[in-house]
Amino acid sequence: LALVAGTGIELDIDATNNAVRFSVSGSLPLATHPSTTPASSSDNAANTFIQDITLDAYRKMQAVNLEAPFFLSQILLPALRKANGAIVNISDSSVVRPYGNYSHYFVSKAGLENLTKVLAVELAPHIRVNGVGPGTVAFPPDFDKRLQSSITAKIPMKRTGAEEDIANAVLYLANDATFITGQVLRVDGGSSIA
């Protein structure tokens, strides 16, 4: 889970005990910095066939990708209301076209997208809730080069995204998209429609 710097939020995810704990330290600068926005994400997806996913692994995935954003949104409600703030959740562009061996991951991200919509309705008109669905942004250093080329060739923009592409989308939804709520912006070079 990532937070915009300076929020005064500490987040502790104890994956061993399936617990998510939050604490707020100091004052939240949301009133003076309306762009301060919680952004949730996870890179803990594991390539695992459904029969090999343990209850513990499933619960850890839900704790990070769904429970943490839910309870972080809940704890930040007073500050978000005071600032007419915005929540931007980080999903995954592949939620609309999932692939195998990541069922626990895609279930959690689909839940996050539904949470985004539900909170958009529940918290309007004072708090906007949207999401960003990144596509392929970076490959691990040891990723097979031929497979990397194959994946990149299937992206309509013929390249992977950059971290700045995702950051700019989050900032747009947090700061400039004052009439947008309940949407997930797919930042994937067109992969989700190809």
Side-chain angles (χ1 to χ4, degrees):
L1 193 69
L3 297 175
V4 176
T7 59
I9 302 293
E10 294 178 21
L11 173 65
D12 178 25
I13 299 175
D14 181 354
T16 305
N17 297 315
N18 298 319
V20 179
R21 291 181 294 278
F22 301 96
S23 63
V24 179
S25 60
S27 61
L28 295 173
L30 293 174
T32 56
H33 298 89
S35 66
T36 303
T37 304
S40 55
S41 183
S42 170
D43 60 351
N44 66 347
N47 183 349
T48 309
F49 188 68
I50 189 169
Q51 73 185 25
D52 298 322
I53 298 170
T54 64
L55 181 59
D56 185 55
Y58 179 86
R59 286 180 173 161
K60 286 177 186 177
M61 192 68 70
Q62 303 311 307
V64 172
N65 289 335
L66 186 54
E67 291 176 24
F70 179 93
F71 290 107
L72 182 57
S73 298
Q74 186 182 64
I75 201 169
L76 290 173
L77 274 179
L80 287 165
R81 281 188 183 115
K82 185 176 180 180
N84 285 327
I87 298 170
V88 178
N89 290 312
I90 305 299
S91 182
D92 188 311
S93 72
S94 295
V95 166
V96 294
R97 293 177 60 172
Y99 39 88
N101 296 347
Y102 292 87
S103 57
H104 59 322
Y105 172 76
F106 284 121
V107 165
S108 68
K109 289 298 188 173
L112 180 61
E113 289 198 8
N114 201 44
L115 176 65
T116 299
K117 293 173 186 176
V118 168
L119 291 182
V121 172
E122 189 171 332
L123 301 179
H126 302 292
I127 300 170
R128 293 175 296 105
V129 185
N130 291 294
V132 171
T136 304
V137 175
F139 293 101
D142 59 345
F143 199 83
D144 180 86
K145 297 300 180 198
R146 282 192 287 182
L147 185 54
Q148 184 175 334
S149 295
S150 173
I151 291 170
T152 303
K154 293 176 186 171
I155 299 171
M157 296 296 291
K158 303 299 181 208
R159 68 175 182 88
T160 59
E163 293 173 359
E164 293 81 17
D165 296 321
I166 308 309
N168 288 337
V170 170
L171 290 172
Y172 167 71
L173 290 171
N175 297 325
D176 301 325
T178 60
F179 196 58
I180 298 175
T181 195
Q183 303 301 309
V184 177
L185 178 58
R186 311 258 175 237
V187 184
D188 63 2
S191 294
S192 56
I193 59 167

